[in-house]
Amino acid sequence: QSHGFLQPDYYANAVAQAKGTGHRHFGVVTDDPAHGERLAAYIGEAHPDVMLEVLPVASDPLHDFEVIRAAPARIMGNSTFAWWAAALDPNAAPTWSCARFVQDQQRDFFLRTEIPLDVQGRPCGRPA
């Protein structure tokens, strides 16, 4: 399996990065509400000072795309769907994202305002 799920620690550590820039309110966009609730509970325990909301699953994927695209900042896993939404954001909001879309290969392309994270959710820098 080359496209594994990121662990909850990735998201908790990414939230810590976003908090460092003043962000305190987060929405979880997922097509799996049970996973979203578990993830929000985990992040909430690690960061009781943030507001977390699992957004309702939209019947239209374009709605989810627009929610991600229009966010004032975003934390993303290894999702090309979310990456394209961020890429099409005309405001170029800060975007924390995993530097790997697949487990064994770091990307060599990043958005101008993208902050690459390793699989633990820590800043890892862009490849030289």
Side-chain angles (χ1 to χ4, degrees):
Q1 176 181 351
S2 66
H3 188 82
F5 286 107
L6 294 165
Q7 298 302 309
D9 279 341
Y10 166 86
Y11 295 98
N13 291 334
V15 165
Q17 300 297 317
K19 282 173 45 179
T21 62
H23 296 283
R24 293 286 189 273
H25 189 178
F26 300 89
V28 178
V29 178
T30 180
D31 59 359
D32 182 346
H35 172 71
E37 291 291 343
R38 286 189 304 272
L39 188 58
Y42 186 87
I43 295 168
E45 284 186 26
H47 301 285
D49 58 333
V50 302
M51 293 179 59
L52 287 160
E53 179 182 356
V54 179
L55 302 175
V57 175
S59 59
D60 178 5
L62 290 176
H63 177 267
D64 287 346
F65 192 89
E66 178 59 19
V67 167
I68 297 166
R69 188 199 65 79
R74 56 191 76 78
I75 294 170
M76 303 182 312
N78 48 356
S79 165
T80 56
F81 178 84
W83 188 89
W84 275 108
L88 295 173
D89 172 11
N91 299 316
T95 301
W96 291 267
S97 63
C98 189
R100 296 173 184 245
F101 285 151
V102 293
Q103 288 180 351
D104 299 324
Q105 182 179 2
Q106 182 160 327
R107 291 185 280 135
D108 60 358
F109 56 93
F110 296 91
L111 303 173
R112 184 172 45 83
T113 59
E114 191 171 1
I115 300 102
L117 304 174
D118 66 15
V119 296
Q120 284 82 37
R122 299 177 304 228
C124 65
R126 297 169 191 245

